[in-house]
Amino acid sequence: MQSPLPVRDGVNATRLRLPAEGPWGTALDYILDRWGHVDPEGIAARFDRGEVVALNGERLTRTTPLTEHTFIWYYRELPVEVRLPVEVGILHQDENLLVVDKPHFLPTTPGGQYVAESALVRLRVQLDLPDLIPMHRLDRLTAGILLFSTNPATRGNYQLLFENRLISKEYEAAAPVDPSLDLMDHPRVVRSRIVKSRTYLLAQEVEGEPNTETLVHLVEERNGHGRYRLTPHTGKTHQLRLHMAGLGLGITNDPFYPVLYPQAPDDYTKPLQLLAKTISFTDPLSGVARRFDSRLQLQAFT
C-alpha cells in the first residue's frame, strides 16, 4: 500500500488502521483516546496542519468521522538521537543498486531507539534518495555488505533473487578453535530448526524439521583463535551466531550466544566479530555475474 505522504528527513510516514466501529465519533477522538496522554494539543495541531492524510491524500480534520477512512498516515515526532560514532562505506552505486559496508552497531532500518541512526535513514538523507529500500538486513551488531534498491521500477527484479535464494553470501567470524572438530580439513554443515519470537530477544534452536543450514569452515588459526568462513544457505535471524554457539564456538564479543549478558551500553572497542564479507549473484537485468566484497576486516585478525 503506497503511502500518500513522501519520505521526510529520510523517514517514512507511519500508517495506522482505524477501527471500523467504536465509541469514538471522529478519527481524532480515537487517536486522543489512545495517545492523548502524551501530547493532546500536539496531536490536534497535526490535524490542523494537514499532516494526517488518508490513502487518497485527503487531509483529515478534527471533525473527520471515524468510519470515513480505514487507513491514515502521519509523521512521527522523532526524538533527538546522539549520532553513533561509526560510518557507512559506499562500495558501489548505479541507477538500480547501492552497495555499502554497514559498520557494527548501526541498525539496517529504523526500530526502537534508533530511527535517524540507521543505515537506511542516514543514506536516504546523505544521498538524497528517498526511495532507497534495503534488499536484505544485517543485525545491528553485524558489519559488512548490505544491498539497497535505488529504483522502484526495477526493485522487484532484485527482490526475486532473494526470494528464490539466488543470492550467494559468505561471512567471516572470529571464534575459539576446538581441535577435536577439525573444521579446517573437514568443514561441517550445521542444520537445525530455529524459531524467533517478536516478544523475546533471543532466537532458539528447537526440535523439528531443520529450517536453517550453514557451512562452517576454519580458514586460519592464530594462538587458539580462529577465522571462520560461514556460508549460510538460509537466512534466519541470528542463524550464524546460534550455529557457532551450538558447536561450542561462540563468536567473539557476542553478548547473546551462548550466554546472554546483562544489557549494557555499546562498547565500540569490542564489536561482534561477524562480518558479511561477500555477496554475489547474476544481475537479473543485464545477466552479468556480479560480486561485491567488504573492505572491512575482523578486528581479531587485522
Side-chain angles (χ1 to χ4, degrees):
M1 193 178 299
Q2 184 66 37
S3 171
L5 290 174
V7 171
R8 186 172 76 176
D9 297 328
V11 182
N12 295 87
T14 297
R15 185 181 71 182
L16 173 68
R17 185 182 184 122
L18 297 175
E21 57 184 18
W24 313 278
T26 67
L28 176 59
D29 290 338
Y30 169 70
I31 293 173
L32 288 176
D33 189 35
R34 288 193 60 179
W35 295 290
H37 62 284
V38 178
D39 180 17
E41 288 304 315
I43 291 174
R46 294 190 200 182
F47 281 78
D48 296 340
R49 294 194 300 264
E51 294 181 354
V52 183
V53 304
L55 178 60
N56 60 3
E58 178 185 340
R59 296 181 175 183
L60 277 70
T61 69
R62 295 188 183 217
T63 59
T64 300
L66 173 72
T67 56
E68 189 166 315
H69 301 288
T70 302
F71 292 99
I72 61 173
W73 281 260
Y74 62 93
Y75 293 115
R76 288 177 289 172
E77 295 293 333
L78 301 180
V80 176
E81 296 178 54
V82 176
R83 185 175 177 86
L84 299 178
V86 294
E87 299 299 330
V88 181
I90 296 176
L91 303 176
H92 171 85
Q93 184 177 355
D94 61 34
E95 65 274 15
N96 297 304
L97 293 176
L98 173 70
V99 185
V100 306
D101 257 337
K102 186 192 81 66
H104 298 283
F105 303 107
L106 187 71
T108 298
T109 56
Q113 61 181 312
Y114 304 101
V115 179
E117 283 304 286
S118 63
L120 175 60
V121 175
R122 274 200 190 183
L123 290 166
R124 279 178 171 177
V125 174
Q126 175 185 339
L127 302 176
D128 192 23
L129 292 173
D131 289 326
L132 195 68
I133 291 293
M135 304 303 296
H136 59 117
R137 284 171 172 76
L138 294 177
D139 291 340
R140 188 178 74 87
L141 299 183
T142 303
I145 293 287
L146 192 56
L147 197 67
F148 290 83
S149 164
T150 60
N151 185 352
T154 61
R155 184 167 298 152
N157 299 86
Y158 294 95
Q159 286 175 328
L160 285 175
L161 294 179
F162 287 89
E163 292 174 10
N164 295 326
R165 296 183 181 176
L166 299 176
I167 298 280
S168 296
K169 301 177 186 176
E170 286 187 359
Y171 290 72
E172 283 189 351
V177 173
D178 182 348
S180 68
L181 296 177
D182 192 19
L183 295 174
M184 186 171 287
D185 294 325
H186 298 91
R188 179 175 298 192
V189 174
V190 181
R191 299 183 180 92
S192 69
R193 184 166 191 83
I194 292 177
V195 296
K196 176 70 169 68
S197 168
R198 291 184 178 182
T199 60
Y200 187 55
L201 183 64
L202 302 182
Q204 295 175 294
E205 291 182 293
V206 298
E207 296 293 328
E209 183 70 20
N211 60 0
T212 61
E213 179 179 316
T214 306
L215 176 64
V216 180
H217 182 198
L218 174 62
V219 295
E220 181 182 0
E221 180 181 353
R222 295 183 190 175
N223 301 319
H225 215 63
R227 179 166 62 89
Y228 294 84
R229 180 185 302 118
L230 308 179
T231 308
H233 294 282
T234 51
K236 292 291 185 180
T237 299
H238 296 178
Q239 173 182 325
L240 302 180
R241 297 161 69 177
L242 267 172
H243 281 174
M244 289 294 286
L247 291 173
L249 307 172
I251 295 174
T252 302
N253 299 335
D254 191 338
F256 289 2
Y257 309 100
V259 176
L260 176 63
Y261 287 91
Q263 186 175 3
D266 290 332
D267 184 346
Y268 296 103
T269 68
K270 295 181 179 179
L272 173 71
Q273 293 298 279
L274 180 60
L275 173 65
K277 187 65 177 178
T278 301
I279 190 167
S280 56
F281 55 93
T282 299
D283 193 287
L285 302 180
S286 65
V288 173
R290 309 187 77 170
R291 173 181 168 126
F292 299 100
D293 294 279
S294 173
R295 296 173 185 165
L296 302 175
Q297 292 181 307
L298 294 175
Q299 181 188 67
F301 285 87
T302 301

